[in-house]
Amino acid sequence: MAKVLAVPTAALLVLIACCFAGVQCNDTPEVRKSLIDFLRELAGGDDQMARDLGWDVTVPPCGGGGVQGWKSVSCLKATDGRVRAVTLGNMGARLNGTINATLLCAETAIRVLSLNDNALRGGIPAGISACKALTHLDFPGNQFSGSLPPSLALLGQLQAVDVSRNNFSGEIPSDLSKLPGLVRFLANDNHFNGTIPDFNLAKFQNFTVSNNNLTGPIPKNAERFSNQSFWPNAAGMCGGPFFDPCPASPSASSPTAPFPALLPSSGPNSKAEDRKGEDTRKKRTVSKIVMYLGYVLLGAAILAFVLYKICSKKKRSKLGRKSKLGGGRSVYDSSKLTTTTTTTSVGPSKSAYSLPTSGEHSAAAAASAPSASLVVLRRSGTASITSNAAAAAAKELRFEDLLKSPAELLGRGRFGSSYKVVVPGGAALAVKRVKDVAVNEEEFRRRMERVGSAKHPAVLPPLAFYCAMQEKLVVYEFQSNGSLAKLLHGSIESSQGPLDWPARLQIAGKVADGMAFMHTALRGDGASSNSSSGEEMAAADGPIGHGNLKASNVLFTAGMDPCISEYGVTALAPPASSDTALRADVRAFGMLLLELLTGKATPAQGDGAELARWVTSVIREEWTAEVFDRALLAGGGGDGASEQRMVRLLQVAMRCVDASPGSAPPPTMREVAGMVNAIREEDDRSFSLEA
């Protein structure tokens, strides 16, 4: 009897050993049936979806041996051939059922579940925590409701959660912030309330909770992302750098209750405590009113004093008035520059929503010292990227016009803030206020003149600039179609649809052309349209790097053509710019390609190293197809030839970002542009043949 039992036991041990040794052990028929039933429930009980995708219990999901596997699943054939990813996105109303976690978790190897842009309803079941291997949950653009189950925090390997554009409500589970590997959390456009968990945003690649009913403090390190990651929300949201400071805790005895007014009353002294709290709030309100009234009176006194001084000066001498308020304009035709100098004090007449002034401006105004000049770059025939209205407005622009005009904050970055300014006449301009750039005034002036003289249809030219000891401003035409970052990662309400493969490839090619042109045109090698004297200056100064190339600095013109903004504004001063900055530009362009291909945003602060590491790890595990953005594949790039070209573009990106020891030197921007445009031309030929 023992001998009879020994045979099947030995066979079982051999089978298990084979699985661990790397021999394929396909999912059992029971697991396959569970996955088919899972799909059926997603489809609301319809069996046709399973037939259309080839999900059959008699067919191995991963295929093999000449047998076609199931569609919309991914496997790791090099090990055990089990299903690792289920990607059922963009099915629309065909998937209008619910998630059955019990059926899904029968496949214990599942890591990725992507169900984006369908019509799924119900909620996320608590039992999904049984799928212990899950790393990615992508459910955006459905009709899910209810609250997120706290059991999500039991998925210890979870890296990405995307529940945006649904009808979820309730509080975001606080224990999600304790997951060590979570680097992507998108929950915008829902109905969540309560406070944001204390996520460690320093390690996140992408994070947004906008368009909810959240309140309370935002997490630390929020400056890595824009205010669009948190706003709009409930009125009680607080915390820098995007909102007012949060109120201090009322007492040290209750450190865990930062918002006591929101806590329910209990106990025999609750009414007395409520009355005491109400009296305290009334006293604070009165104190604030008195404080603000004092500010108003102080402002009125200052205004009256300034008006008195102005009237006194008028009475003394009309000539003196002309000397102080009139602008002296000198035109330098040889350098094609128009310089406008003004000494007008603009403090009293400045709009409440105008461009904020620095301490340097205030001191200069108080001492009646002449301010630095606003240098307007005169262009002989505007570039195609700049409208005549913006160029005309810039020619008549004065420094005080910028300070007086209504301004709207567009965003903050590592090197300063950007504003939309509407100047007299109605022209909309974008003003970049630069900070923390170690470049002296003379170098900054020379750099802006050189960048302004080198024209390319993919580089947004500066219209004017201002340079003083502690203040640097650069003026551009405002581009109303927004940035590449907004188009890739913005809200669903965007007027533009998702970017498909041809559009992304075209953007990559044009940006590469613009960068390659600027890297060579400013070397003084004859590639630019400068005069001979300008070429000698360029040769002496060396090339200029961009210094801050990223998706938010790639803007779209009125014709939706990409253009590079802020060229050279934050580049290093020579001699660093001759080598280090150019290599940094190549790496930054590689990160831009990764962002285009993966659809994943790079942090607002940082070099995107985490995204590069993630792509490298996925490629190493032979999951290259999992790198690409689902919207990219669904938008017409899912055929085999297009995917091959995506892989080639991915290889170009990795060559640009690879800085490992012993790796080959990175290519130049001219070489990168040649590689990208070769892929683009091949894609165009393929499209022409199909048409």
Side-chain angles (χ1 to χ4, degrees):
M1 182 67 177
K3 291 182 179 181
V4 174
L5 293 175
V7 175
T9 303
L12 179 61
L13 292 175
V14 170
L15 181 62
I16 295 173
C18 288
C19 288
F20 283 103
V23 179
Q24 288 192 1
C25 300
N26 291 323
D27 289 317
T28 63
E30 290 77 12
V31 172
R32 299 177 196 174
K33 185 177 185 306
S34 290
L35 290 177
I36 294 171
D37 290 341
F38 169 73
L39 176 59
R40 182 182 295 111
E41 293 209 16
L42 290 180
D46 186 7
D47 293 328
Q48 185 60 39
M49 179 66 76
R51 289 192 289 270
D52 291 345
L53 297 178
W55 289 33
D56 191 315
V57 72
T58 63
V59 177
C62 302
V67 178
Q68 180 69 36
W70 295 3
K71 296 179 181 178
S72 299
V73 301
S74 299
C75 307
L76 198 58
K77 296 183 181 179
T79 54
D80 58 7
R82 299 179 64 183
V83 174
R84 292 302 200 280
V86 175
T87 54
L88 296 165
N90 297 285
M91 300 289 185
R94 295 194 67 187
L95 291 186
N96 58 5
T98 58
I99 295 177
N100 188 316
T102 303
L103 297 174
L104 174 67
C105 296
E107 172 52 278
T108 56
I110 193 78
R111 296 185 187 179
V112 177
L113 179 61
S114 181
L115 305 172
N116 59 288
D117 297 297
N118 296 305
L120 295 170
R121 48 192 172 79
I124 300 177
I128 203 167
S129 60
C131 301
K132 296 296 185 182
L134 274 173
T135 61
H136 290 72
L137 290 175
D138 292 321
F139 301 154
N142 281 282
Q143 299 174 19
F144 288 122
S145 57
S147 59
L148 295 183
S151 61
L152 284 179
L154 300 177
L155 296 171
Q157 300 184 50
L158 202 58
Q159 301 174 16
V161 175
D162 187 350
V163 293
S164 59
R165 297 183 282 115
N166 280 285
N167 295 312
F168 286 111
S169 57
E171 297 188 0
I172 300 174
S174 60
D175 286 345
L176 285 178
S177 62
K178 300 177 183 179
L179 290 174
L182 190 64
V183 296
R184 187 167 180 260
F185 184 76
L186 306 179
N188 54 286
D189 299 280
N190 281 285
H191 307 288
F192 289 114
N193 53 39
T195 59
I196 305 173
D198 190 19
F199 290 103
N200 179 16
L201 296 186
K203 65 177 182 177
F204 271 67
Q205 297 174 359
N206 204 347
F207 183 89
T208 177
V209 291
S210 59
N211 285 301
N212 282 289
N213 300 314
L214 296 166
T215 187
I218 62 176
K220 296 179 181 178
N221 299 306
E223 64 274 7
R224 298 183 69 246
F225 306 96
S226 69
N227 62 338
Q228 295 178 354
S229 292
F230 304 94
W231 185 88
N233 259 293
M237 187 162 284
C238 61
F242 307 123
F243 303 96
D244 293 335
C246 295
S249 178
S251 66
S253 60
S254 57
T256 59
F259 300 100
L262 301 180
L263 298 177
S265 301
S266 60
N269 297 324
S270 61
K271 292 184 178 180
E273 291 175 355
D274 288 344
R275 287 194 297 272
K276 182 178 179 180
E278 184 66 25
D279 293 340
T280 301
R281 285 192 293 273
K282 288 181 179 179
K283 290 178 181 179
R284 289 178 179 173
T285 302
V286 172
S287 299
K288 288 183 178 180
I289 292 174
V290 173
M291 179 180 65
Y292 293 146
L293 183 59
Y295 289 154
V296 172
L297 293 176
L298 178 61
I302 294 174
L303 180 59
F305 176 75
V306 172
L307 292 176
Y308 170 76
K309 296 294 288 183
I310 292 174
C311 292
S312 299
K313 290 178 181 179
K314 286 182 178 180
K315 291 180 180 179
R316 287 193 196 116
S317 172
K318 292 184 179 180
L319 182 59
R321 176 181 177 277
K322 291 180 180 179
S323 174
K324 289 186 178 294
L325 297 181
R329 176 177 298 175
S330 58
V331 180
Y332 300 91
D333 292 329
S334 60
S335 61
K336 297 184 179 181
L337 297 178
T338 300
T339 304
T340 304
T341 307
T342 179
T343 61
T344 304
S345 176
V346 298
S349 60
K350 182 178 163 187
S351 167
Y353 298 96
S354 55
L355 195 67
T357 56
S358 68
E360 179 186 351
H361 294 152
S362 300
S368 297
S371 62
S373 300
L374 179 70
V375 181
V376 178
L377 296 166
R378 172 174 288 181
R379 312 181 68 83
S380 56
T382 58
S384 60
I385 200 172
T386 305
S387 70
N388 292 329
K395 287 183 179 180
E396 302 299 326
L397 192 62
R398 297 181 302 170
F399 182 67
E400 62 265 31
D401 292 335
L402 290 180
L403 298 183
K404 291 179 181 179
S405 300
E408 173 189 350
L409 179 65
L410 297 177
R412 294 186 178 94
R414 182 173 44 168
F415 297 109
S417 304
S418 298
Y419 301 85
K420 176 185 177 182
V421 179
V422 181
V423 296
L429 302 176
V431 179
K432 174 71 176 182
R433 164 164 276 160
V434 189
K435 67 174 184 179
D436 299 335
V437 178
V439 179
N440 60 42
E441 296 177 45
E442 182 60 31
E443 165 58 25
F444 189 80
R445 175 185 292 268
R446 185 166 61 249
R447 178 190 300 173
M448 288 297 99
E449 292 173 2
R450 292 175 59 203
V451 171
S453 65
K455 302 177 186 178
H456 190 275
V459 180
L460 185 65
L463 298 177
F465 66 90
Y466 169 89
C467 184
M469 185 180 301
Q470 301 294 333
E471 184 75 283
K472 295 179 179 67
L473 304 176
V474 186
V475 181
Y476 301 91
E477 180 186 7
F478 176 72
Q479 303 298 321
S480 59
N481 282 329
S483 67
L484 177 60
K486 182 178 180 181
L487 202 55
L488 279 176
H489 317 297
S491 173
I492 192 65
E493 287 81 9
S494 174
S495 59
Q496 299 293 332
L499 288 173
D500 57 10
W501 163 243
R504 299 192 198 201
L505 185 56
Q506 182 187 37
I507 292 169
K510 290 191 175 183
V511 173
D513 285 342
M515 292 296 296
F517 174 83
M518 297 301 284
H519 277 201
T520 55
L522 299 178
R523 287 182 180 272
D525 58 2
S528 78
S529 58
N530 298 354
S531 64
S532 59
S533 61
E535 291 172 358
E536 293 173 1
M537 180 187 294
D541 289 344
I544 296 176
H546 184 288
N548 194 27
L549 180 64
K550 55 185 179 180
S552 59
N553 279 339
V554 177
L555 307 180
F556 290 94
T557 65
M560 288 306 294
D561 291 318
C563 60
I564 306 165
S565 178
E566 299 184 17
Y567 197 100
V569 171
T570 59
L572 297 174
S577 61
S578 61
D579 184 27
T580 305
L582 301 188
R583 289 197 174 191
D585 279 354
V586 173
R587 187 184 187 282
F589 180 76
M591 295 305 306
L592 189 69
L593 290 182
L594 291 183
E595 196 164 345
L596 280 168
L597 290 169
T598 66
K600 298 181 182 295
T602 55
Q605 307 289 338
D607 59 0
E610 292 182 358
L611 177 58
R613 284 195 294 267
W614 175 78
V615 172
T616 302
S617 66
V618 173
I619 295 174
R620 187 180 296 119
E621 292 187 15
E622 302 180 9
W623 280 20
T624 303
E626 297 299 325
V627 167
F628 301 120
D629 186 4
R630 296 299 168 196
L632 178 64
L633 297 174
D639 62 286
S642 294
E643 288 190 12
Q644 290 178 4
R645 288 188 283 273
M646 289 181 200
V647 172
R648 287 172 55 193
L649 191 62
L650 180 64
Q651 293 170 344
V652 174
M654 297 309 292
R655 282 194 60 187
C656 294
V657 304
D658 186 13
S660 57
S663 60
T668 65
M669 272 310 309
R670 177 175 284 180
E671 293 170 339
V672 172
M675 291 184 283
V676 173
N677 282 304
I679 300 172
R680 182 181 168 191
E681 291 170 4
E682 182 180 327
D683 196 75
D684 289 342
R685 286 196 300 271
S686 174
F687 181 78
S688 299
L689 291 174
E690 291 175 0

Short mmCIF file of all heavy atoms in Angstrom, two decimals, residues 80-113:
data_model
loop_
_atom_site.label_atom_id
_atom_site.label_comp_id
_atom_site.label_asym_id
_atom_site.label_seq_id
_atom_site.Cartn_x
_atom_site.Cartn_y
_atom_site.Cartn_z
N ASP A 80 6.14 30.93 -14.58
CA ASP A 80 5.12 29.89 -14.40
C ASP A 80 3.92 30.04 -15.31
O ASP A 80 2.98 29.26 -15.22
CB ASP A 80 4.65 29.87 -12.93
CG ASP A 80 4.10 31.21 -12.49
OD1 ASP A 80 3.95 32.10 -13.34
OD2 ASP A 80 3.80 31.36 -11.30
N GLY A 81 3.89 31.05 -16.18
CA GLY A 81 2.80 31.18 -17.13
C GLY A 81 1.47 31.55 -16.51
O GLY A 81 0.43 31.36 -17.14
N ARG A 82 1.45 32.10 -15.32
CA ARG A 82 0.19 32.45 -14.68
C ARG A 82 -0.18 33.89 -15.00
O ARG A 82 0.66 34.72 -15.35
CB ARG A 82 0.30 32.25 -13.17
CG ARG A 82 0.61 30.80 -12.80
CD ARG A 82 0.73 30.62 -11.31
NE ARG A 82 -0.53 30.89 -10.65
CZ ARG A 82 -0.67 30.85 -9.33
NH1 ARG A 82 0.36 30.59 -8.55
NH2 ARG A 82 -1.85 31.11 -8.79
N VAL A 83 -1.46 34.21 -14.85
CA VAL A 83 -1.97 35.54 -15.17
C VAL A 83 -1.50 36.54 -14.11
O VAL A 83 -1.73 36.35 -12.92
CB VAL A 83 -3.51 35.55 -15.25
CG1 VAL A 83 -4.03 36.96 -15.45
CG2 VAL A 83 -3.98 34.65 -16.37
N ARG A 84 -0.83 37.60 -14.58
CA ARG A 84 -0.34 38.62 -13.66
C ARG A 84 -1.15 39.91 -13.77
O ARG A 84 -1.22 40.67 -12.81
CB ARG A 84 1.13 38.95 -13.96
CG ARG A 84 2.11 37.83 -13.64
CD ARG A 84 2.04 37.42 -12.19
NE ARG A 84 3.21 36.72 -11.71
CZ ARG A 84 3.46 35.44 -11.91
NH1 ARG A 84 2.61 34.73 -12.62
NH2 ARG A 84 4.54 34.87 -11.43
N ALA A 85 -1.73 40.17 -14.92
CA ALA A 85 -2.45 41.44 -15.11
C ALA A 85 -3.72 41.22 -15.90
O ALA A 85 -3.73 40.48 -16.89
CB ALA A 85 -1.55 42.46 -15.82
N VAL A 86 -4.80 41.88 -15.48
CA VAL A 86 -6.07 41.90 -16.20
C VAL A 86 -6.35 43.35 -16.55
O VAL A 86 -6.50 44.20 -15.66
CB VAL A 86 -7.21 41.31 -15.36
CG1 VAL A 86 -8.54 41.46 -16.09
CG2 VAL A 86 -6.95 39.85 -15.04
N THR A 87 -6.37 43.66 -17.83
CA THR A 87 -6.54 45.05 -18.29
C THR A 87 -7.77 45.13 -19.19
O THR A 87 -7.71 44.83 -20.37
CB THR A 87 -5.30 45.52 -19.04
OG1 THR A 87 -5.01 44.60 -20.09
CG2 THR A 87 -4.10 45.59 -18.11
N LEU A 88 -8.87 45.52 -18.61
CA LEU A 88 -10.15 45.59 -19.32
C LEU A 88 -10.62 47.04 -19.35
O LEU A 88 -11.63 47.39 -18.76
CB LEU A 88 -11.18 44.69 -18.64
CG LEU A 88 -10.86 43.18 -18.65
CD1 LEU A 88 -11.72 42.44 -17.65
CD2 LEU A 88 -11.07 42.61 -20.05
N GLY A 89 -9.87 47.88 -20.02
CA GLY A 89 -10.19 49.29 -20.05
C GLY A 89 -10.86 49.70 -21.34
O GLY A 89 -10.79 49.02 -22.37
N ASN A 90 -11.53 50.85 -21.28
CA ASN A 90 -12.16 51.48 -22.44
C ASN A 90 -13.19 50.56 -23.12
O ASN A 90 -13.33 50.56 -24.34
CB ASN A 90 -11.09 51.90 -23.46
CG ASN A 90 -10.16 52.95 -22.90
OD1 ASN A 90 -10.50 54.11 -22.78
ND2 ASN A 90 -8.95 52.51 -22.54
N MET A 91 -13.91 49.80 -22.33
CA MET A 91 -14.98 48.95 -22.86
C MET A 91 -16.33 49.66 -22.85
O MET A 91 -17.30 49.14 -23.39
CB MET A 91 -15.07 47.65 -22.04
CG MET A 91 -13.80 46.81 -22.05
SD MET A 91 -13.51 46.03 -23.63
CE MET A 91 -12.06 45.03 -23.23
N GLY A 92 -16.39 50.80 -22.19
CA GLY A 92 -17.63 51.55 -22.16
C GLY A 92 -18.76 50.82 -21.46
O GLY A 92 -18.57 50.15 -20.44
N ALA A 93 -19.94 50.91 -22.04
CA ALA A 93 -21.15 50.34 -21.42
C ALA A 93 -21.16 48.82 -21.44
O ALA A 93 -22.01 48.21 -20.79
CB ALA A 93 -22.39 50.87 -22.13
N ARG A 94 -20.26 48.18 -22.17
CA ARG A 94 -20.24 46.71 -22.20
C ARG A 94 -19.88 46.14 -20.84
O ARG A 94 -20.30 45.03 -20.51
CB ARG A 94 -19.25 46.21 -23.25
CG ARG A 94 -19.64 46.55 -24.68
CD ARG A 94 -18.83 45.76 -25.66
NE ARG A 94 -19.14 44.34 -25.60
CZ ARG A 94 -18.47 43.40 -26.27
NH1 ARG A 94 -17.45 43.75 -27.05
NH2 ARG A 94 -18.80 42.12 -26.17
N LEU A 95 -19.09 46.87 -20.07
CA LEU A 95 -18.78 46.44 -18.71
C LEU A 95 -19.56 47.34 -17.75
O LEU A 95 -19.11 48.42 -17.38
CB LEU A 95 -17.27 46.55 -18.44
CG LEU A 95 -16.37 45.57 -19.20
CD1 LEU A 95 -14.93 45.71 -18.73
CD2 LEU A 95 -16.84 44.14 -19.04
N ASN A 96 -20.76 46.87 -17.37
CA ASN A 96 -21.64 47.67 -16.53
C ASN A 96 -22.05 46.93 -15.27
O ASN A 96 -23.04 47.26 -14.63
CB ASN A 96 -22.89 48.09 -17.30
CG ASN A 96 -23.65 46.89 -17.85
OD1 ASN A 96 -23.31 45.73 -17.56
ND2 ASN A 96 -24.69 47.14 -18.63
N GLY A 97 -21.28 45.91 -14.91
CA GLY A 97 -21.61 45.10 -13.73
C GLY A 97 -20.81 45.52 -12.52
O GLY A 97 -20.52 46.70 -12.32
N THR A 98 -20.44 44.53 -11.70
CA THR A 98 -19.76 44.79 -10.44
C THR A 98 -18.52 43.91 -10.32
O THR A 98 -18.32 42.97 -11.09
CB THR A 98 -20.70 44.51 -9.25
OG1 THR A 98 -21.14 43.14 -9.33
CG2 THR A 98 -21.90 45.42 -9.28
N ILE A 99 -17.70 44.22 -9.33
CA ILE A 99 -16.48 43.46 -9.06
C ILE A 99 -16.78 42.36 -8.04
O ILE A 99 -17.35 42.63 -6.98
CB ILE A 99 -15.37 44.37 -8.51
CG1 ILE A 99 -14.94 45.38 -9.56
CG2 ILE A 99 -14.16 43.55 -8.06
CD1 ILE A 99 -13.90 46.37 -9.07
N ASN A 100 -16.40 41.13 -8.37
CA ASN A 100 -16.51 40.01 -7.44
C ASN A 100 -15.09 39.63 -7.03
O ASN A 100 -14.36 38.99 -7.80
CB ASN A 100 -17.22 38.82 -8.08
CG ASN A 100 -17.52 37.71 -7.08
OD1 ASN A 100 -16.67 37.35 -6.27
ND2 ASN A 100 -18.74 37.16 -7.15
N ALA A 101 -14.69 40.04 -5.83
CA ALA A 101 -13.31 39.83 -5.40
C ALA A 101 -12.99 38.37 -5.19
O ALA A 101 -11.87 37.92 -5.42
CB ALA A 101 -13.07 40.62 -4.11
N THR A 102 -13.99 37.58 -4.76
CA THR A 102 -13.74 36.16 -4.53
C THR A 102 -13.32 35.46 -5.80
O THR A 102 -12.39 34.65 -5.82
CB THR A 102 -15.00 35.49 -3.95
OG1 THR A 102 -15.38 36.17 -2.75
CG2 THR A 102 -14.74 34.02 -3.64
N LEU A 103 -14.00 35.77 -6.90
CA LEU A 103 -13.66 35.15 -8.18
C LEU A 103 -12.30 35.63 -8.66
O LEU A 103 -11.51 34.85 -9.20
CB LEU A 103 -14.74 35.47 -9.22
CG LEU A 103 -16.14 34.93 -8.92
CD1 LEU A 103 -17.14 35.44 -9.95
CD2 LEU A 103 -16.13 33.40 -8.91
N LEU A 104 -12.02 36.91 -8.50
CA LEU A 104 -10.73 37.45 -8.96
C LEU A 104 -9.57 36.85 -8.20
O LEU A 104 -8.56 36.47 -8.79
CB LEU A 104 -10.74 38.97 -8.80
CG LEU A 104 -9.41 39.67 -9.10
CD1 LEU A 104 -9.07 39.57 -10.57
CD2 LEU A 104 -9.46 41.13 -8.67
N CYS A 105 -9.71 36.77 -6.89
CA CYS A 105 -8.59 36.35 -6.05
C CYS A 105 -8.33 34.86 -6.10
O CYS A 105 -7.38 34.37 -5.45
CB CYS A 105 -8.82 36.79 -4.61
SG CYS A 105 -8.88 38.60 -4.42
N ALA A 106 -9.13 34.13 -6.87
CA ALA A 106 -8.79 32.72 -7.10
C ALA A 106 -7.46 32.62 -7.82
O ALA A 106 -6.75 31.61 -7.68
CB ALA A 106 -9.90 32.04 -7.91
N GLU A 107 -7.14 33.62 -8.62
CA GLU A 107 -5.82 33.71 -9.25
C GLU A 107 -4.92 34.50 -8.29
O GLU A 107 -4.95 35.73 -8.24
CB GLU A 107 -5.91 34.41 -10.60
CG GLU A 107 -4.58 34.73 -11.27
CD GLU A 107 -3.66 33.54 -11.36
OE1 GLU A 107 -2.98 33.23 -10.35
OE2 GLU A 107 -3.61 32.91 -12.44
N THR A 108 -4.16 33.80 -7.48
CA THR A 108 -3.37 34.44 -6.42
C THR A 108 -2.16 35.19 -6.95
O THR A 108 -1.52 35.92 -6.20
CB THR A 108 -2.90 33.39 -5.41
OG1 THR A 108 -2.16 32.36 -6.10
CG2 THR A 108 -4.09 32.74 -4.71
N ALA A 109 -1.83 35.01 -8.24
CA ALA A 109 -0.66 35.69 -8.80
C ALA A 109 -1.01 37.05 -9.39
O ALA A 109 -0.11 37.76 -9.86
CB ALA A 109 -0.01 34.81 -9.87
N ILE A 110 -2.28 37.43 -9.38
CA ILE A 110 -2.70 38.68 -10.04
C ILE A 110 -2.04 39.89 -9.36
O ILE A 110 -2.05 40.02 -8.14
CB ILE A 110 -4.25 38.82 -10.01
CG1 ILE A 110 -4.71 39.92 -10.95
CG2 ILE A 110 -4.76 39.03 -8.62
CD1 ILE A 110 -4.72 39.51 -12.37
N ARG A 111 -1.45 40.75 -10.17
CA ARG A 111 -0.78 41.95 -9.64
C ARG A 111 -1.46 43.24 -10.11
O ARG A 111 -1.51 44.20 -9.36
CB ARG A 111 0.69 41.98 -10.10
CG ARG A 111 1.54 40.85 -9.58
CD ARG A 111 2.99 41.06 -9.99
NE ARG A 111 3.82 39.92 -9.67
CZ ARG A 111 5.12 39.84 -9.94
NH1 ARG A 111 5.71 40.86 -10.55
NH2 ARG A 111 5.81 38.77 -9.62
N VAL A 112 -1.92 43.24 -11.33
CA VAL A 112 -2.47 44.47 -11.91
C VAL A 112 -3.92 44.23 -12.30
O VAL A 112 -4.22 43.27 -13.01
CB VAL A 112 -1.66 44.92 -13.15
CG1 VAL A 112 -2.29 46.16 -13.77
CG2 VAL A 112 -0.21 45.19 -12.78
N LEU A 113 -4.81 45.11 -11.83
CA LEU A 113 -6.21 45.08 -12.24
C LEU A 113 -6.55 46.47 -12.76
O LEU A 113 -6.59 47.44 -12.01
CB LEU A 113 -7.12 44.70 -11.07
CG LEU A 113 -8.62 44.68 -11.39
CD1 LEU A 113 -8.92 43.66 -12.48
CD2 LEU A 113 -9.44 44.38 -10.14
#
